Amino acid sequence: MTGLKNISSEYGLILPCDSPFISNEYINNMFKILNEIKSIYTDVDGIVPFHFKKKLENKEKKWKKIKKNDNENDNEKK
């Protein structure tokens, strides 16, 4: 957090080290959303994106199904 005391820009972005595939589009959207929120609420210092667990569980189920189908297709080719 010490680094945040020394930034000269209006905003700072903190990302976890285990998220290497965050796109420029995502980052730009975060700043756009922050600007929109700040235009309504003047006392906002930042935003914290989050996901709903149910959506994540559905994606995990879908991913497992895709992986299962891929494995079945690989076995059929042999």
Side-chain angles (χ1 to χ4, degrees), residues 3 8 11 23 25 32 39 45 47 50 55 57 59-61 69 73:
S8 58
Y11 300 122
S23 68
E25 180 183 11
K32 181 181 174 187
S39 70
D45 291 327
I47 57 173
F50 66 95
K55 287 184 179 180
E57 288 172 353
K59 286 182 182 180
E60 287 175 353
K61 286 178 188 175
N69 289 340
N73 289 338

Side-chain angles (χ1 to χ4, degrees), residues 1-55:
M1 293 300 194
T2 303
L4 291 176
K5 292 180 182 178
N6 297 310
I7 62 173
S8 58
S9 62
E10 186 178 354
Y11 300 122
L13 178 65
I14 301 171
L15 298 171
C17 62
D18 59 349
S19 300
F21 302 114
I22 295 177
S23 68
N24 287 339
E25 180 183 11
Y26 177 83
I27 293 169
N28 289 333
N29 282 337
M30 290 297 101
F31 287 125
K32 181 181 174 187
I33 290 167
L34 179 58
N35 283 327
E36 289 172 4
I37 292 170
K38 285 184 80 152
S39 70
I40 299 169
Y41 305 101
T42 56
D43 62 344
V44 173
D45 291 327
I47 57 173
V48 178
F50 66 95
H51 65 273
F52 293 101
K53 187 173 180 179
K54 186 169 178 90
K55 287 184 179 180

